Coordinates of all heavy atoms in Angstrom, one line a residue:
M36 N 234.5 -109.3 -39.4 CA 233.8 -109.0 -40.5 C 233.4 -110.2 -41.3 O 234.3 -111.0 -41.6 CB 234.7 -108.0 -41.4 CG 234.0 -107.5 -42.6 SD 234.9 -106.2 -43.5 CE 236.3 -105.9 -42.6
T37 N 232.2 -110.3 -41.7 CA 231.7 -111.5 -42.5 C 232.0 -111.3 -44.0 O 232.4 -110.2 -44.4 CB 230.2 -111.7 -42.3 OG1 229.5 -110.7 -42.9 CG2 229.9 -111.9 -40.8
E38 N 231.9 -112.4 -44.7 CA 232.1 -112.3 -46.2 C 231.2 -111.3 -46.8 O 231.5 -110.6 -47.8 CB 232.0 -113.6 -46.8 CG 233.1 -114.6 -46.5 CD 233.0 -115.9 -47.2 OE1 232.4 -115.9 -48.4 OE2 233.4 -116.9 -46.7
Q39 N 229.9 -111.2 -46.3 CA 229.0 -110.3 -46.9 C 229.2 -108.8 -46.6 O 228.7 -108.0 -47.3 CB 227.5 -110.7 -46.5 CG 227.1 -111.9 -47.1 CD 226.6 -113.0 -46.1 OE1 226.7 -112.8 -44.9 NE2 226.1 -114.1 -46.6
E40 N 229.9 -108.6 -45.5 CA 230.2 -107.2 -45.2 C 231.4 -106.7 -46.1 O 232.3 -107.3 -46.3 CB 230.6 -107.1 -43.7 CG 229.5 -107.3 -42.7 CD 229.9 -107.1 -41.3 OE1 230.2 -105.9 -40.9 OE2 230.1 -108.1 -40.6
V41 N 231.2 -105.4 -46.5 CA 232.2 -104.8 -47.3 C 233.1 -104.0 -46.4 O 232.6 -103.3 -45.5 CB 231.5 -103.9 -48.4 CG1 232.6 -103.2 -49.2 CG2 230.7 -104.7 -49.3
D42 N 234.4 -104.0 -46.6 CA 235.3 -103.2 -45.9 C 235.3 -101.8 -46.4 O 235.7 -101.5 -47.5 CB 236.8 -103.8 -46.0 CG 237.7 -103.0 -45.0 OD1 237.3 -102.2 -44.3 OD2 238.9 -103.4 -45.1
L43 N 234.7 -100.9 -45.6 CA 234.5 -99.5 -46.0 C 235.7 -98.6 -45.6 O 235.7 -97.5 -45.9 CB 233.2 -98.9 -45.3 CG 231.9 -99.7 -45.7 CD1 230.8 -99.0 -44.9 CD2 231.7 -99.6 -47.2
R44 N 236.6 -99.2 -44.8 CA 237.8 -98.4 -44.4 C 238.5 -97.7 -45.4 O 238.8 -96.5 -45.3 CB 238.7 -99.2 -43.5 CG 238.1 -99.6 -42.1 CD 238.9 -100.5 -41.3 NE 238.9 -101.8 -42.0 CZ 239.4 -102.9 -41.5 NH1 240.1 -102.8 -40.4 NH2 239.3 -104.0 -42.2
P45 N 238.9 -98.3 -46.6 CA 239.6 -97.6 -47.6 C 238.8 -96.3 -48.1 O 239.4 -95.3 -48.3 CB 239.9 -98.6 -48.7 CG 239.8 -99.9 -48.0 CD 238.8 -99.7 -46.9
A46 N 237.6 -96.5 -48.3 CA 236.7 -95.4 -48.8 C 236.6 -94.3 -47.8 O 236.7 -93.1 -48.1 CB 235.3 -95.9 -49.2
I47 N 236.4 -94.7 -46.5 CA 236.4 -93.7 -45.4 C 237.7 -93.0 -45.2 O 237.8 -91.7 -45.1 CB 235.9 -94.3 -44.1 CG1 234.5 -94.8 -44.2 CG2 236.0 -93.4 -42.9 CD1 233.4 -93.7 -44.3
D48 N 238.8 -93.8 -45.3 CA 240.1 -93.1 -45.2 C 240.4 -92.1 -46.2 O 240.9 -91.0 -46.0 CB 241.2 -94.2 -45.2 CG 241.3 -95.1 -44.0 OD1 240.7 -94.8 -43.0 OD2 242.0 -96.1 -44.1
G49 N 240.0 -92.4 -47.5 CA 240.1 -91.5 -48.6 C 239.3 -90.2 -48.4 O 239.7 -89.1 -48.6
L50 N 238.1 -90.4 -47.9 CA 237.2 -89.3 -47.7 C 237.7 -88.4 -46.6 O 237.8 -87.2 -46.7 CB 235.8 -89.8 -47.2 CG 234.8 -88.8 -46.8 CD1 234.2 -88.1 -47.9 CD2 233.8 -89.4 -45.8
V51 N 238.2 -89.0 -45.5 CA 238.8 -88.2 -44.4 C 240.0 -87.5 -44.9 O 240.2 -86.3 -44.6 CB 239.1 -89.1 -43.2 CG1 239.9 -88.4 -42.1 CG2 237.8 -89.6 -42.6
R52 N 240.9 -88.1 -45.6 CA 242.1 -87.5 -46.1 C 241.7 -86.3 -47.0 O 242.3 -85.2 -46.8 CB 242.9 -88.5 -46.9 CG 244.3 -87.9 -47.4 CD 245.1 -89.0 -48.1 NE 245.4 -90.2 -47.3 CZ 244.8 -91.3 -47.5 NH1 243.9 -91.5 -48.5 NH2 245.0 -92.4 -46.7
T53 N 240.8 -86.5 -47.9 CA 240.4 -85.4 -48.8 C 239.8 -84.2 -48.0 O 240.1 -83.1 -48.3 CB 239.4 -85.9 -49.9 OG1 240.0 -87.0 -50.6 CG2 238.9 -84.9 -50.8
T54 N 238.9 -84.5 -47.1 CA 238.2 -83.4 -46.4 C 239.2 -82.7 -45.4 O 239.2 -81.5 -45.2 CB 237.0 -84.0 -45.6 OG1 237.4 -85.0 -44.8 CG2 235.9 -84.4 -46.5
L55 N 240.2 -83.5 -44.8 CA 241.2 -82.9 -44.0 C 242.1 -82.0 -44.8 O 242.5 -80.9 -44.3 CB 242.0 -83.9 -43.2 CG 241.4 -84.4 -41.9 CD1 242.2 -85.6 -41.4 CD2 241.2 -83.3 -40.9
E56 N 242.5 -82.4 -46.0 CA 243.3 -81.5 -46.8 C 242.6 -80.2 -47.2 O 243.2 -79.2 -47.1 CB 243.7 -82.3 -48.1 CG 244.7 -83.4 -47.8 CD 245.0 -84.3 -49.0 OE1 244.3 -84.2 -50.1 OE2 245.9 -85.1 -48.9
A57 N 241.3 -80.4 -47.5 CA 240.5 -79.2 -47.9 C 240.4 -78.3 -46.6 O 240.5 -77.0 -46.7 CB 239.2 -79.5 -48.4
F58 N 240.2 -78.9 -45.5 CA 240.0 -78.1 -44.2 C 241.3 -77.4 -43.9 O 241.3 -76.2 -43.6 CB 239.7 -79.1 -43.1 CG 239.5 -78.4 -41.8 CD1 238.6 -77.4 -41.6 CD2 240.2 -78.9 -40.7 CE1 238.4 -76.8 -40.4 CE2 240.0 -78.3 -39.4 CZ 239.1 -77.2 -39.3
A59 N 242.4 -78.1 -44.0 CA 243.8 -77.4 -43.8 C 244.0 -76.3 -44.8 O 244.5 -75.2 -44.4 CB 244.9 -78.5 -43.9
E60 N 243.7 -76.5 -46.0 CA 243.9 -75.4 -47.0 C 243.0 -74.2 -46.7 O 243.5 -73.1 -46.7 CB 243.6 -76.0 -48.4 CG 243.9 -75.0 -49.5 CD 243.7 -75.5 -50.9 OE1 244.0 -76.7 -51.1 OE2 243.1 -74.8 -51.7
S61 N 241.8 -74.4 -46.4 CA 240.9 -73.3 -46.1 C 241.3 -72.6 -44.8 O 241.2 -71.4 -44.7 CB 239.4 -73.8 -46.0 OG 239.2 -74.6 -44.8
S62 N 241.9 -73.4 -43.8 CA 242.3 -72.8 -42.6 C 243.5 -71.9 -42.8 O 243.7 -70.9 -42.1 CB 242.7 -73.9 -41.6 OG 241.5 -74.6 -41.3
L63 N 244.4 -72.3 -43.7 CA 245.5 -71.4 -44.0 C 245.2 -70.2 -44.7 O 245.8 -69.1 -44.6 CB 246.5 -72.2 -44.9 CG 247.2 -73.4 -44.2 CD1 248.1 -74.2 -45.2 CD2 248.2 -72.9 -43.1
Q64 N 244.1 -70.2 -45.5 CA 243.7 -69.0 -46.3 C 242.9 -68.1 -45.4 O 242.8 -66.9 -45.6 CB 242.8 -69.4 -47.4 CG 243.6 -70.1 -48.5 CD 242.7 -70.7 -49.6 OE1 241.5 -70.5 -49.6 NE2 243.3 -71.4 -50.5
H65 N 242.2 -68.6 -44.4 CA 241.4 -67.8 -43.4 C 241.7 -68.2 -42.0 O 241.1 -69.0 -41.4 CB 239.9 -68.0 -43.7 CG 239.5 -67.9 -45.1 ND1 239.3 -66.6 -45.7 CD2 239.2 -68.8 -46.1 CE1 239.0 -66.8 -46.9 NE2 238.9 -68.1 -47.2
P66 N 242.8 -67.6 -41.5 CA 243.3 -68.0 -40.1 C 242.1 -67.8 -39.1 O 241.3 -66.8 -39.1 CB 244.4 -67.0 -39.8 CG 244.9 -66.6 -41.2 CD 243.7 -66.6 -42.1
W67 N 242.1 -68.7 -38.2 CA 241.1 -68.7 -37.1 C 241.8 -69.3 -35.9 O 242.5 -70.3 -35.9 CB 239.9 -69.6 -37.6 CG 238.8 -69.7 -36.7 CD1 238.0 -68.6 -36.2 CD2 238.2 -70.8 -36.1 NE1 237.0 -69.1 -35.5 CE2 237.0 -70.4 -35.4 CE3 238.4 -72.2 -36.2 CZ2 236.2 -71.3 -34.6 CZ3 237.6 -73.1 -35.5 CH2 236.5 -72.6 -34.7
Y68 N 241.6 -68.6 -34.8 CA 242.2 -69.1 -33.5 C 241.2 -69.6 -32.6 O 240.3 -68.8 -32.2 CB 243.0 -67.9 -32.9 CG 244.0 -67.4 -33.9 CD1 243.7 -66.3 -34.7 CD2 245.2 -68.0 -34.1 CE1 244.7 -65.8 -35.6 CE2 246.2 -67.6 -35.0 CZ 245.9 -66.5 -35.8 OH 246.8 -66.0 -36.7
A69 N 241.3 -70.8 -32.2 CA 240.3 -71.5 -31.4 C 240.9 -72.7 -30.6 O 242.0 -73.1 -30.9 CB 239.1 -71.9 -32.2
K70 N 240.1 -73.2 -29.7 CA 240.5 -74.4 -29.0 C 240.2 -75.7 -29.9 O 239.5 -75.6 -30.8 CB 239.8 -74.5 -27.7 CG 240.1 -73.3 -26.7 CD 239.5 -73.5 -25.4 CE 239.9 -72.4 -24.6 NZ 240.6 -72.7 -23.4
E71 N 240.8 -76.8 -29.4 CA 240.7 -78.0 -30.2 C 239.3 -78.4 -30.5 O 238.9 -78.8 -31.7 CB 241.4 -79.2 -29.5 CG 241.3 -80.5 -30.2 CD 241.9 -81.6 -29.4 OE1 242.4 -81.5 -28.3 OE2 241.8 -82.8 -29.9
H72 N 238.4 -78.4 -29.5 CA 237.0 -78.8 -29.8 C 236.3 -77.9 -30.8 O 235.5 -78.4 -31.5 CB 236.3 -78.9 -28.5 CG 236.1 -77.7 -27.7 ND1 237.0 -77.3 -26.7 CD2 235.1 -76.8 -27.7 CE1 236.6 -76.1 -26.2 NE2 235.5 -75.8 -26.8
N73 N 236.7 -76.7 -30.8 CA 236.1 -75.7 -31.8 C 236.6 -76.2 -33.3 O 235.8 -76.1 -34.2 CB 236.5 -74.3 -31.6 CG 236.0 -73.8 -30.3 OD1 236.8 -73.5 -29.4 ND2 234.7 -73.7 -30.1
W74 N 237.9 -76.5 -33.4 CA 238.3 -77.0 -34.7 C 237.7 -78.3 -35.1 O 237.3 -78.5 -36.3 CB 239.9 -77.2 -34.6 CG 240.6 -75.9 -34.6 CD1 241.2 -75.3 -33.6 CD2 241.0 -75.2 -35.8 NE1 241.8 -74.2 -34.0 CE2 241.7 -74.1 -35.3 CE3 240.7 -75.3 -37.2 CZ2 242.2 -73.1 -36.2 CZ3 241.2 -74.3 -38.0 CH2 241.9 -73.2 -37.6
V75 N 237.5 -79.2 -34.1 CA 236.8 -80.5 -34.4 C 235.4 -80.2 -34.9 O 234.9 -80.8 -35.9 CB 236.8 -81.4 -33.2 CG1 235.9 -82.6 -33.4 CG2 238.2 -81.8 -32.9
N76 N 234.7 -79.3 -34.2 CA 233.3 -79.0 -34.6 C 233.3 -78.3 -36.0 O 232.4 -78.7 -36.9 CB 232.7 -78.1 -33.6 CG 232.1 -78.8 -32.5 OD1 231.2 -79.6 -32.6 ND2 232.7 -78.7 -31.3
L77 N 234.2 -77.4 -36.3 CA 234.2 -76.7 -37.6 C 234.5 -77.7 -38.7 O 233.8 -77.7 -39.7 CB 235.3 -75.6 -37.6 CG 235.4 -74.8 -38.8 CD1 234.1 -74.0 -39.1 CD2 236.6 -73.9 -38.7
F78 N 235.4 -78.6 -38.5 CA 235.7 -79.7 -39.5 C 234.5 -80.5 -39.7 O 234.1 -80.8 -40.9 CB 236.9 -80.5 -39.0 CG 237.2 -81.7 -39.9 CD1 237.5 -81.6 -41.2 CD2 236.9 -83.0 -39.4 CE1 237.7 -82.7 -42.0 CE2 237.1 -84.1 -40.2 CZ 237.5 -84.0 -41.5
A79 N 233.9 -81.0 -38.7 CA 232.8 -82.0 -38.8 C 231.6 -81.3 -39.4 O 231.0 -81.9 -40.4 CB 232.4 -82.5 -37.4
F80 N 231.3 -80.1 -39.0 CA 230.0 -79.5 -39.5 C 230.2 -78.7 -40.8 O 229.2 -78.2 -41.4 CB 229.4 -78.6 -38.4 CG 228.8 -79.5 -37.3 CD1 229.4 -79.4 -36.1 CD2 227.8 -80.3 -37.5 CE1 228.9 -80.2 -35.0 CE2 227.2 -81.1 -36.5 CZ 227.8 -81.0 -35.3
T81 N 231.4 -78.6 -41.3 CA 231.6 -78.0 -42.6 C 232.0 -79.0 -43.6 O 231.2 -79.5 -44.4 CB 232.6 -76.8 -42.6 OG1 233.9 -77.2 -42.0 CG2 232.1 -75.6 -41.7
H82 N 233.3 -79.5 -43.5 CA 233.8 -80.4 -44.5 C 233.2 -81.8 -44.5 O 232.9 -82.3 -45.5 CB 235.3 -80.4 -44.4 CG 235.9 -79.1 -44.7 ND1 236.3 -78.7 -46.0 CD2 236.2 -78.0 -43.9 CE1 236.7 -77.5 -46.0 NE2 236.7 -77.1 -44.7
L83 N 233.0 -82.4 -43.3 CA 232.5 -83.8 -43.3 C 231.0 -83.8 -43.7 O 230.6 -84.6 -44.5 CB 232.7 -84.4 -42.0 CG 234.0 -85.1 -41.7 CD1 234.0 -85.7 -40.3 CD2 234.3 -86.1 -42.7
V84 N 230.2 -82.9 -43.2 CA 228.8 -82.9 -43.5 C 228.6 -82.6 -45.0 O 227.8 -83.2 -45.7 CB 228.0 -81.8 -42.7 CG1 226.6 -81.6 -43.2 CG2 227.9 -82.3 -41.2
R85 N 229.4 -81.7 -45.6 CA 229.3 -81.4 -47.0 C 229.7 -82.6 -47.9 O 229.4 -82.7 -49.0 CB 230.2 -80.2 -47.3 CG 229.7 -78.9 -46.8 CD 230.6 -77.8 -47.2 NE 230.2 -76.5 -46.5 CZ 231.1 -75.6 -46.3 NH1 232.3 -75.6 -46.7 NH2 230.7 -74.5 -45.6
A86 N 230.5 -83.5 -47.3 CA 230.9 -84.7 -48.1 C 229.9 -85.8 -48.1 O 230.1 -86.8 -48.8 CB 232.3 -85.2 -47.5
C87 N 228.8 -85.7 -47.4 CA 227.8 -86.7 -47.3 C 227.1 -86.8 -48.7 O 226.7 -85.8 -49.3 CB 226.7 -86.4 -46.3 SG 227.3 -86.4 -44.6
R88 N 227.1 -88.0 -49.3 CA 226.5 -88.3 -50.6 C 225.8 -89.6 -50.5 O 226.3 -90.6 -50.0 CB 227.5 -88.4 -51.7 CG 228.4 -87.1 -51.9 CD 227.7 -86.1 -52.7 NE 228.5 -84.9 -52.9 CZ 228.7 -83.9 -52.1 NH1 228.1 -83.9 -50.9 NH2 229.5 -82.9 -52.4
M89 N 224.6 -89.7 -51.0 CA 223.8 -91.0 -51.1 C 224.7 -92.0 -51.9 O 225.3 -91.6 -52.9 CB 222.5 -90.8 -51.7 CG 221.5 -90.0 -50.9 SD 221.2 -90.7 -49.2 CE 220.3 -92.2 -49.7
G90 N 224.6 -93.2 -51.5 CA 225.4 -94.2 -52.2 C 226.8 -94.3 -51.9 O 227.5 -95.1 -52.5
T91 N 227.3 -93.5 -50.9 CA 228.7 -93.6 -50.5 C 228.7 -94.1 -49.0 O 227.7 -94.0 -48.4 CB 229.4 -92.2 -50.6 OG1 228.9 -91.3 -49.6 CG2 229.2 -91.6 -52.0
P92 N 229.9 -94.4 -48.5 CA 230.0 -94.8 -47.1 C 229.6 -93.7 -46.2 O 229.1 -94.1 -45.0 CB 231.5 -95.2 -47.0 CG 231.9 -95.6 -48.3 CD 231.2 -94.7 -49.2
L93 N 229.7 -92.5 -46.5 CA 229.2 -91.4 -45.7 C 228.0 -90.8 -46.4 O 228.1 -89.8 -47.2 CB 230.3 -90.3 -45.4 CG 229.9 -89.2 -44.5 CD1 229.4 -89.6 -43.2 CD2 231.0 -88.2 -44.4
S94 N 226.8 -91.4 -46.2 CA 225.6 -90.9 -46.9 C 224.7 -90.1 -46.0 O 223.7 -89.5 -46.6 CB 224.8 -92.2 -47.4 OG 224.5 -93.0 -46.3
D95 N 224.9 -90.0 -44.7 CA 224.0 -89.3 -43.9 C 224.8 -88.5 -42.8 O 225.6 -89.1 -42.1 CB 223.0 -90.3 -43.2 CG 221.9 -89.7 -42.4 OD1 222.2 -89.0 -41.5 OD2 220.7 -89.9 -42.8
P96 N 224.4 -87.3 -42.5 CA 225.1 -86.6 -41.4 C 225.0 -87.3 -40.1 O 225.8 -87.1 -39.2 CB 224.5 -85.2 -41.4 CG 223.9 -85.0 -42.8 CD 223.5 -86.4 -43.2
G97 N 224.0 -88.1 -39.9 CA 223.8 -88.8 -38.6 C 224.8 -89.9 -38.4 O 224.9 -90.4 -37.3
Q98 N 225.7 -90.1 -39.3 CA 226.8 -91.1 -39.1 C 228.0 -90.4 -38.4 O 228.9 -91.1 -38.0 CB 227.3 -91.6 -40.5 CG 226.3 -92.5 -41.2 CD 226.9 -92.8 -42.6 OE1 226.3 -92.3 -43.6 NE2 227.9 -93.6 -42.6
I99 N 228.0 -89.1 -38.4 CA 229.1 -88.3 -37.8 C 228.8 -88.1 -36.4 O 227.8 -87.6 -36.0 CB 229.3 -87.0 -38.6 CG1 229.5 -87.2 -40.1 CG2 230.4 -86.2 -37.9 CD1 229.4 -86.0 -40.9
A100 N 229.8 -88.4 -35.5 CA 229.6 -88.2 -34.1 C 230.9 -87.5 -33.6 O 232.0 -87.7 -34.1 CB 229.5 -89.5 -33.4
I101 N 230.7 -86.6 -32.6 CA 231.8 -85.8 -32.0 C 231.9 -86.2 -30.5 O 230.8 -86.2 -29.8 CB 231.6 -84.3 -32.2 CG1 231.5 -84.0 -33.7 CG2 232.6 -83.5 -31.6 CD1 231.0 -82.6 -34.0
E102 N 233.1 -86.4 -30.1 CA 233.3 -86.7 -28.6 C 232.5 -87.8 -28.1 O 231.7 -87.7 -27.2 CB 233.1 -85.4 -27.8 CG 234.1 -84.3 -28.0 CD 235.5 -84.6 -27.5 OE1 235.6 -85.3 -26.5 OE2 236.4 -84.1 -28.1
V103 N 232.6 -89.0 -28.8 CA 231.8 -90.1 -28.4 C 232.7 -91.3 -27.9 O 233.9 -91.4 -28.2 CB 231.0 -90.6 -29.5 CG1 229.9 -89.6 -29.9 CG2 231.8 -91.0 -30.7
G104 N 232.1 -92.2 -27.1 CA 232.9 -93.3 -26.6 C 232.9 -94.4 -27.7 O 231.9 -94.6 -28.4
V105 N 234.0 -95.1 -27.8 CA 234.2 -96.2 -28.7 C 234.9 -97.3 -28.0 O 235.7 -97.0 -27.1 CB 235.0 -95.8 -30.0 CG1 234.2 -94.8 -30.8 CG2 236.4 -95.3 -29.7
P106 N 234.7 -98.6 -28.4 CA 235.4 -99.7 -27.7 C 236.8 -99.7 -28.1 O 237.2 -99.3 -29.2 CB 234.7 -100.9 -28.2 CG 233.9 -100.5 -29.4 CD 233.7 -99.0 -29.3
Q107 N 237.7 -100.1 -27.1 CA 239.1 -100.3 -27.3 C 239.3 -101.7 -27.8 O 238.6 -102.6 -27.6 CB 239.9 -100.1 -26.0 CG 239.9 -98.7 -25.6 CD 240.9 -97.8 -26.3 OE1 240.7 -97.5 -27.5 NE2 242.0 -97.5 -25.7
P108 N 240.4 -101.9 -28.6 CA 240.8 -103.3 -29.0 C 241.0 -104.2 -27.7 O 241.4 -103.6 -26.6 CB 242.1 -103.1 -29.8 CG 242.1 -101.7 -30.2 CD 241.4 -100.9 -29.1
P109 N 240.9 -105.5 -27.8 CA 241.1 -106.4 -26.7 C 242.6 -106.2 -26.2 O 243.5 -105.9 -26.9 CB 241.0 -107.7 -27.3 CG 240.2 -107.6 -28.6 CD 240.5 -106.2 -29.0
G110 N 242.7 -106.3 -24.8 CA 244.0 -106.1 -24.2 C 244.3 -104.7 -23.7 O 245.3 -104.6 -22.9
Y111 N 243.5 -103.8 -23.9 CA 243.7 -102.4 -23.4 C 243.1 -102.4 -22.0 O 242.2 -103.1 -21.6 CB 242.9 -101.4 -24.3 CG 243.8 -100.9 -25.5 CD1 243.9 -101.8 -26.5 CD2 244.3 -99.7 -25.5 CE1 244.7 -101.4 -27.6 CE2 245.1 -99.3 -26.6 CZ 245.3 -100.2 -27.7 OH 246.0 -99.8 -28.8
A112 N 243.7 -101.5 -21.2 CA 243.3 -101.4 -19.7 C 241.8 -101.0 -19.6 O 241.1 -101.5 -18.8 CB 244.2 -100.4 -19.0
K113 N 241.4 -100.0 -20.4 CA 240.0 -99.5 -20.4 C 239.2 -100.2 -21.5 O 239.8 -100.4 -22.6 CB 240.0 -98.0 -20.7 CG 240.6 -97.2 -19.5 CD 240.4 -95.7 -19.8 CE 241.0 -94.9 -18.7 NZ 240.8 -93.4 -19.0
A114 N 238.0 -100.5 -21.3 CA 237.1 -101.1 -22.3 C 236.7 -100.1 -23.4 O 236.5 -100.5 -24.5 CB 235.9 -101.6 -21.6
A115 N 236.7 -98.8 -23.1 CA 236.3 -97.8 -24.1 C 237.1 -96.5 -23.8 O 237.7 -96.3 -22.8 CB 234.8 -97.5 -23.9
T116 N 237.0 -95.7 -24.8 CA 237.6 -94.4 -24.8 C 236.9 -93.4 -25.6 O 236.0 -93.8 -26.4 CB 239.1 -94.4 -25.3 OG1 239.8 -93.2 -25.0 CG2 239.2 -94.7 -26.7
R117 N 237.2 -92.1 -25.5 CA 236.5 -91.1 -26.3 C 237.3 -90.7 -27.5 O 238.5 -90.7 -27.4 CB 236.2 -89.8 -25.4 CG 235.2 -90.1 -24.3 CD 234.9 -88.9 -23.5 NE 234.1 -87.9 -24.1 CZ 232.8 -88.1 -24.3 NH1 232.2 -89.2 -23.9 NH2 232.1 -87.1 -24.8
R118 N 236.6 -90.4 -28.6 CA 237.3 -90.0 -29.8 C 236.7 -88.7 -30.3 O 235.5 -88.4 -30.1 CB 237.1 -91.0 -31.0 CG 237.8 -92.3 -30.7 CD 239.3 -92.2 -30.7 NE 239.9 -93.4 -30.4 CZ 241.0 -93.5 -29.7 NH1 241.5 -92.5 -29.2 NH2 241.5 -94.7 -29.4
D119 N 237.5 -87.8 -30.9 CA 237.1 -86.5 -31.3 C 236.0 -86.6 -32.4 O 234.9 -86.0 -32.3 CB 238.3 -85.7 -31.9 CG 239.2 -85.2 -30.8 OD1 238.8 -85.1 -29.7 OD2 240.4 -85.0 -31.2
V120 N 236.2 -87.4 -33.4 CA 235.3 -87.6 -34.5 C 235.2 -89.1 -34.8 O 236.2 -89.7 -35.0 CB 235.7 -86.8 -35.8 CG1 234.7 -87.1 -36.9 CG2 235.8 -85.3 -35.5
V121 N 234.0 -89.5 -35.0 CA 233.8 -90.9 -35.4 C 232.8 -90.9 -36.5 O 231.8 -90.1 -36.5 CB 233.2 -91.8 -34.2 CG1 232.8 -93.2 -34.7 CG2 234.2 -91.9 -33.1
I122 N 233.0 -91.7 -37.6 CA 232.1 -91.9 -38.6 C 231.5 -93.3 -38.5 O 232.3 -94.3 -38.7 CB 232.7 -91.7 -40.0 CG1 233.3 -90.3 -40.1 CG2 231.7 -92.0 -41.1 CD1 234.0 -90.0 -41.4
W123 N 230.3 -93.4 -38.1 CA 229.6 -94.7 -37.9 C 229.2 -95.3 -39.3 O 228.9 -94.6 -40.2 CB 228.4 -94.6 -37.0 CG 228.8 -94.1 -35.6 CD1 228.4 -92.9 -35.1 CD2 229.4 -94.8 -34.5 NE1 228.9 -92.8 -33.8 CE2 229.5 -94.0 -33.4 CE3 230.0 -96.1 -34.4 CZ2 230.1 -94.4 -32.2 CZ3 230.6 -96.5 -33.3 CH2 230.6 -95.6 -32.2
K124 N 229.0 -96.6 -39.3 CA 228.5 -97.3 -40.5 C 227.1 -96.9 -40.8 O 226.7 -96.7 -42.0 CB 228.6 -98.8 -40.3 CG 228.4 -99.6 -41.5 CD 228.7 -101.0 -41.3 CE 228.7 -101.8 -42.6 NZ 229.1 -103.2 -42.4
R125 N 226.3 -96.7 -39.8 CA 224.9 -96.3 -40.0 C 224.5 -95.1 -39.1 O 225.1 -94.9 -38.0 CB 223.9 -97.4 -39.6 CG 224.0 -98.6 -40.6 CD 223.2 -99.8 -40.2 NE 223.6 -100.4 -38.9 CZ 224.7 -101.1 -38.7 NH1 225.4 -101.5 -39.8 NH2 225.0 -101.6 -37.5
P126 N 223.6 -94.3 -39.5 CA 223.2 -93.1 -38.7 C 222.7 -93.6 -37.3 O 222.0 -94.6 -37.2 CB 222.0 -92.5 -39.5 CG 222.2 -92.9 -40.9 CD 222.8 -94.3 -40.8
G127 N 223.0 -92.8 -36.3 CA 222.5 -93.0 -35.0 C 223.2 -94.2 -34.2 O 222.7 -94.6 -33.2
T128 N 224.3 -94.7 -34.7 CA 224.9 -95.8 -34.1 C 225.7 -95.3 -32.9 O 226.2 -94.2 -32.8 CB 225.9 -96.5 -35.1 OG1 225.2 -96.8 -36.3 CG2 226.6 -97.7 -34.5
S129 N 225.9 -96.2 -31.9 CA 226.8 -96.0 -30.8 C 227.4 -97.3 -30.4 O 227.0 -98.4 -30.9 CB 226.1 -95.3 -29.6 OG 225.1 -96.2 -29.1
C130 N 228.4 -97.3 -29.5 CA 228.9 -98.6 -29.1 C 228.3 -99.1 -27.9 O 227.5 -98.6 -27.3 CB 230.4 -98.5 -28.9 SG 230.9 -97.4 -27.6

């Protein structure tokens, strides 16, 4: 990260924590039985998309990706792996 780049991780971490807490609370109030990928989709397309706000680190639904490949840190056996949900810095980004 260069000096000009801002570390968005704390803001994204807070956003994810808040939206996951709301998702868990709503899930307890309205039980739903589904497979993991259904839960991931429900979370992303309800709570994360609703959290998009201009001027924030999550400003566009195009930043949200489901089941995408991401690079692994140096030293891992595989160069990339898949993640359930990724929030990219800019819409339409990939690795």
Side-chain angles (χ1 to χ4, degrees):
M36 185 173 356
T37 67
E38 287 182 35
Q39 286 127 355
E40 289 184 73
V41 176
D42 187 2
L43 301 177
R44 287 175 290 187
I47 294 292
D48 287 349
L50 172 84
V51 170
R52 186 177 303 106
T53 301
T54 54
L55 277 173
E56 287 171 355
F58 181 55
E60 186 176 319
S61 68
S62 298
L63 290 173
Q64 294 173 3
H65 307 285
W67 186 55
Y68 303 96
K70 295 186 181 240
E71 178 186 357
H72 62 270
N73 299 112
W74 284 99
V75 170
N76 278 293
L77 183 64
F78 169 68
F80 289 112
T81 57
H82 295 274
L83 276 182
V84 167
R85 289 181 191 154
C87 293
R88 301 278 184 278
M89 291 302 293
T91 70
L93 182 58
S94 60
D95 187 300
Q98 292 174 253
I99 302 167
I101 300 171
E102 293 289 328
V103 295
V105 296
Q107 289 282 71
Y111 276 71
K113 293 182 180 180
T116 189
R117 295 181 73 74
R118 295 289 178 221
D119 289 336
V120 177
V121 173
I122 299 174
W123 299 109
K124 191 172 188 176
R125 289 175 300 283
T128 305
S129 63
C130 62

